[in-house]
Amino acid sequence: MEKGDLKILNKGEEEEMELQGYRLCRWRLALVGFGVLCTGGFLLLLLYWMPEWCVKSTCTRTTARDAKVVLLRSTDEFRRWFLARVRVMLAPGSNPFHSLETQTTSPSSAPSLSSHSCTFSNSASPPLANGHTPHPSDGIPAQELIARFSDYQPTQIRYFTFHSTKYYWDDEMQNFKFLTGLEDLQVSCSSIHSEHSAGLSRNLQEYRRLFFGVNEIAVKVPSVFKLLIKEVLNPFYIFQLFSVILWSVDEYYYYAVAIVFMSVISIATSLYTIKKQYIMLHDMVATHSIVRVSICRANNDIEEILSTDLVPGDVMVIPSNGTIMPCDAVLVSGTCIVNESMLTGESVPVTKTNLPNPAPEQQGEVNSAYNTEEHKRHTLFCGTNVIQTRFYTSELVKAVVVRTGFSTAKGQLVRNILYPKPTDFKLYRDAYRFLLCLVAVAGIGFIYSIVLSIMNKVPAKRIIIKSLDIITITVPPALPAAMTAGIVYAQRRLKHIGIFCISPQRINICGQINLVCFDKTGTLTEDGLDLWGVQRVENGSFHLSEENAYKENLVKTQFVACMATCHSLTKIDGQLSGDPLDLKMFEATGWILEEATEEETSLHNQIMPTVVQPPKQLLPPEANLSAEQDMELYELSPAYEIGIVRQFPFSSAHQRMSVVARLLGEKRMDAYMKGAPEVVASLCKKETVPEDFAEVLECYTKQGFRVIALAHRRLEAKLSWHKVQNISRDHIETNMEFLGLVIMQNKLKAETPGVLQDLHKANIRTVMVTGDNMLTAISVARDCGMIPPKDTVIIADAILPHDGQAAKITWRYADKPSKTTQLEEINISLEDVNPLEEPKPQEMYHFAMNGKSFAVISEHFPDMLQKLVLHGTVFARMAPDQKTQLIETLQGVDYFVGMCGDGANDCGALKRAHGGISLSELEASVASPFTSRTPNISCVPSLIREGRAALITSFCVFKFMALYSIIQYISVTLLYSIPSNLGDLQFLFIDIAIILVIVFTMSLNPAWKELVSRRPPSGLISGPLLFSVLTQILICLGFQTITFLWVRQQPWYTVWTPLTDVCNLTSHLNKTDLNDTEMDDHNIQNFENTSLFYVSCFQYLIVAVVFSKGKPFRQPSYKNWPFVVFTVGLYCFLVFIMFFPVQSIDELLEIVCVPFIWRVNLFLIILVNAAVSVLVETIVLDIVLRKLVFSRDKQSNSGDTPAAPTLQGGVDVRVYKFLLCCLRKKTPKARYMHLAQELSVDPDWPPKPTTTTEAKPHTQNGSSHQIAINS
C-alpha cells in the first residue's frame, strides 16, 4: 500500500486540488470521542472548524483507490481544506458510453473504447453495506436497472461528490475524474451526425443517468434551522457564548443580556440575508429549468419526457415556437435564433446553425473533435432562450445533448456563485494577526490576574472567573459587527448612485485599485456604430470614398448586394433584430428583408430562404406599359430579389462571416463575405486587392474608424442547393474578389476623457482590452487620453515557432511621434525609492499587442510578459479567456486590478479582477461583483472613492476597537491590583452607550469628493498605523496610571466604605439610609474605580475623534452630523455627571462622590490627555513622521504607475544611477515596482524599433528563457 499516495484532481484547471485517501480507524475514533467528552464538546467544534485535523485524527492514510474518505486541498493561494466521503454505486456496466447490449458478464472484460475513453470499474470495492444510498434525484435505482440485465455481473463504482460535481474512480488513470458529457469521448463532428444523432433507447438513457445524474441545476435553499446551526457554530459566536456564560456566572446579567440581544439581532439579520440570497439564486435558476421536452428514440419514435431525464447523447427536438434550453446541446439539423443574454450579457439574437457534417473526402482539420467553445455557433447553451426555429418539413430541428446539470455553461456559472473563492486581502490577514496580538496581551493579563489573586488569597472560583473575564475584555466581541458597519454604509451609498454590489467585502479591496482595464466598444465608446462611408474597389484600385450606398447607380452592384445579404439579421415580431453592426450596415442600403412564414415553409421540402430586395424607388424604371399589359405581365416580370441560401455565422476565431446567396432567376449562386480587412484580403485573389490597401486601411484605423472589408465570389454551376448545405466554409471562402471597405464610426462616450483624466491624476493606470482592431484601439486610446499625444507606442508582433525557427517578437512603432523621444534614457519611474518630492513624470512609451501575440508571448516568453504588462496599454483582438489571463498576469505583478466592461465577453475578467464593474444589468452581471446602472465609466472613480472611504473607515474602526479593548484592559488590570473591577452597569454604559454608538456613527463619513494621487495603506501592519495605535495605547496607559496613583496620594483618600463622606454630604443624608446600605461584595465602589471610570470614558471619546480621519479619503468628521451629535452629547453628559452629580445616576453607575477639587484635577488630566493625543496623531504622525520616516512606505503603497522621467539638462546619468543604487537598498514590496527598478538600469529596455527578440530553449538549470536581440 502506498502511504504517500497524493493525487492531483483537475490538473491545470481553475479547481485544481490535491487529494489524499484515508480510511476510518476505530481506536482513533474512540480516542477522539473520549477527548470530546473530556473537553465538553469543544474538541468536536475544533474538528468541525479544521477538516484536515478531523480526518487526520480519526483516519489512517491509504491509497486513493481504497479510500473511504478523501481529504482535498486547493492548490491556489488560499490552500483550503475539504473532506468528502467516498460512496459505492452498483451499475450494470463500468462506462456510461458503453452500450448495455455489448456488456459482458465480467466487469473487468468490459469492451474498451479508444484510448481516451473512461472505465470506472473497481472489482476490489468494499461491500455495499458501507456503500451508496440512492438519492431520490438519482432517477431509477441501480438495482432496478440491474434486475433488467440480470445476465450481467454488476460493477461497483466508487465516487464522491464535491461542490455539486461527482468524481468517479478511473482504473486506467488511477485517479478520480469528473464526467463532463459527450465531449469526454472526443467525438468528431461527423461522428456526432453518424453515431449520436439517432437517439438513445430508454434503457441506455436510464443507464447513463446513473453516472450523470438528474439534469437539474439544484440550488437547494437550506432550512432556517440548518442555517442557524451553521451560523451559531461560527467561532465568533462560540466566543460570545463563552463570554455570556462567564458574565452570567459573575452576575454581570445586564451586559450578558445586552450581548445576547445584539447577537440575536446579528444572527437574525445574517440568516435573513443568506436565506434571501439563496431564494433569489434558486428562483433565477429554477425559472424554466424543468420543462417537458420531446426526444427521439433509437427506433425513430418521438417521446415526450421531463427535461430532468435528459442525459448526454439524447436527441432533443427543438419546438418551432422556441423554448428555454434545459441543457447544452449541439444542433444537428435546422437553424435557431437564440437570445444568449443569460451568458453573454448581450440581448442581441444570435443565429445558430447546424453542426457541419463533412464528407469523407473532407476529413482532417474540418472534422476536428467537437468542442463547445470552438463550435459555439452550433451549440445551444443551457438557460438561453430559443426564440424561433427554421426547419425542413420532413426533418425536425434536432440537437444532441452534450452536457447536463452542473456541467452546462449555466451550471458552471451557478457553481461559481455557490462556491466562490474567498476574498484575499491584506487587511483581513492583518486583522487576524492583530487579534492574535490582543490574545497574547489577554494571556499576559490572564497570568497576571491569577498571580495577583493568589497573592491576595482570593477564592479559587473567583480567580477563575476574574482571569477568564480579562480575555473577554481584551478581545472585543463586537469587533466583526463594527468592522462590517463601514462596508454596509458604503454599499448603501453605492446603491444610491446606481452601483449595485453582490460581494460587499470587495468594496474595501476597491480602495486599493491602482490599475483599471477597460473594454472598448460599449464601455469607452458608444455601443452603436454609425456608417461613416464606403470605399469601393474596381479593377484592383480604390474609388473615392462615398458617404453611403443608398444610390440608384449602386443598387445592382455586388458591393451593395454583399452589404444587404452578408448578415445574421432576422425578424422577431415584425422587427429586424441582430448584431448592431449588421443592423447598421443593412439599414444603410435601404433594402427590405422578408422571411418565409411557417405556412410557406411547409409547402416546400426545404428551408425557404430569407429574401432581401431593394426599395422600388431605387430600381431603374420599367418600360411604359398599358394598364392591361401591366396586369398581365406583373406575375412574369422578374423582381430583383436575392435569397440567402446558407449562412456561415461570424466567428471570433475566423474574424469573418459569409453567406451563400442566389439572385432570383439566376442558376449559379454567389458567395459574399465580410470581416476583418486583413483576414478578408488574405482570402482574396491578389490582383483584386489594391496595392495601397495597407496604407488606406492604416489611414482609417489611425483615425479610430471601425473598418469592415467585403468580398464576393461566383460559385460553380455544379453546386446545387443540397450540396451547399453540407459544404465546408473553407471551400466557399477562397479565391474571393475584393469589393471594398465599409467604414464605421464608433464615437467616444462624452464622459470617457474626463474620467480617464481623473484616474491619471490619481496615479491609477488605465489599460484597454478589446476585441477590435489594433490600430483602431490605439487611435481610440489616443483620443480618450489613455496614451498622451507625444508618447510612443511600441507594437509587439509575436510569431509562433515554425520551420525549425524559434518564436520571435518583432518590435515596431505604431506611429512616429512628431518629436523624437530619447528612449535610451532611464524609462521607469523611481518614485518608489526616491524620498524627494518631485512632479510625476509622463510616460514615454506604451506597448500594444494583439491576442495572437499575447498567446505566443505567454507561452514562449513568460518572463517577458511581466515586463510588457508594466507598460502595456493596448491589448487588441483579445479573446474572453485572454482577457482573464491578462488580469491574472497583472495581479501576478502585485497590481490591484479593476475591470470595467459591458458584460458581453468580459464575464471571466470581471469575476477575476479585484473589482469588476459590469455596465450591463442583464443576468450575466450576476458573476460581476459590481453592476452599474449608469452606462458609462463614471462609475469607476465613484467606486474607487467609496472603496477608499470604506477602507479608511475599516482602519479607523479597527484602531478604535483595539484601543477600546486596551483602555478597558488597562482599567481592569489596575483595578484588579486593589482588588476591584468595573461595575456591571459601568461596562454596559461603556460598551453600549459609548462604543457601539460611536462605532456605528464614525463609519458614516461619506467619501471624499475627488480621487487623490495617494492610496490608503493596504494592511494594518504598516508604520503609520502601528505608530498611531501604539502611541495612543501608551498615552492612555500613562494617564490612567497617573490617575490611579495620584488619587491614592490625595490627603482625603481613604479606603471607601458606605459610611465614607469626603464630600460633606452627611448633613443631607438620613442615618437610616447609611445603615441600610449593603456592603459591596465585589468592591466596585471606590475612589480608584470612579476616577478611572471618568478618565477612561473620556479616553474612548478622545481616540474616537483622533482616529476619525477625513481628507483625503473621507469627508471631514464635522460633516458627519450623527457622529458630531452623539460625541458632543456624550461629552456633555460625562462633564455634567462629573461636576453636577445626580444621586440616581451615581447609584446606577456605582460611582462614589469625590471632592470638587479632585473633579477639577480629573478634568485637567482629561484635557491634557486630549491635547497630547491630538498633537501626536496630527502633528507628529501626519506631518513630521509621515513625510520623513514613512515617506518610502507611503510611496510603496501609492500605486504610482511606472513612468519615464526626463533627466534635467546637466544631470550626469552615471551620477543618477549611483544615487539610484544608494536609494535602492530596500527592495520594494510590490513586484511591479521591483521590475521597474530592474528595467530602469537595463540599457536594452525598451526594445529598439525594427529589432527582433528570439526565444531560446530552457537551459539545464531550469532558468527562464534567454533573449537574443538581433537588429
Side-chain angles (χ1 to χ4, degrees), residues 472-517:
T472 66
I473 288 166
T474 316
V475 183
L479 180 62
M483 292 282 285
T484 308
I487 296 171
V488 171
Y489 295 144
Q491 188 177 4
R492 197 173 65 185
R493 288 194 296 269
L494 284 171
K495 189 176 179 181
H496 183 68
I497 58 174
I499 300 173
F500 298 91
C501 172
I502 61 168
S503 179
Q505 296 300 325
R506 296 271 188 131
I507 297 174
N508 269 346
I509 303 176
C510 289
Q512 279 294 306
I513 286 175
N514 56 355
L515 183 148
V516 185
C517 296

Side-chain angles (χ1 to χ4, degrees), residues 449-475:
S449 64
I450 290 174
V451 172
L452 209 62
S453 299
I454 292 170
M455 289 170 62
N456 291 329
K457 297 178 180 179
V458 177
K461 181 189 173 184
R462 190 80 195 131
I463 292 174
I464 293 167
I465 292 171
K466 284 181 69 175
S467 304
L468 291 174
D469 194 31
I470 207 159
I471 295 174
T472 66
I473 288 166
T474 316
V475 183

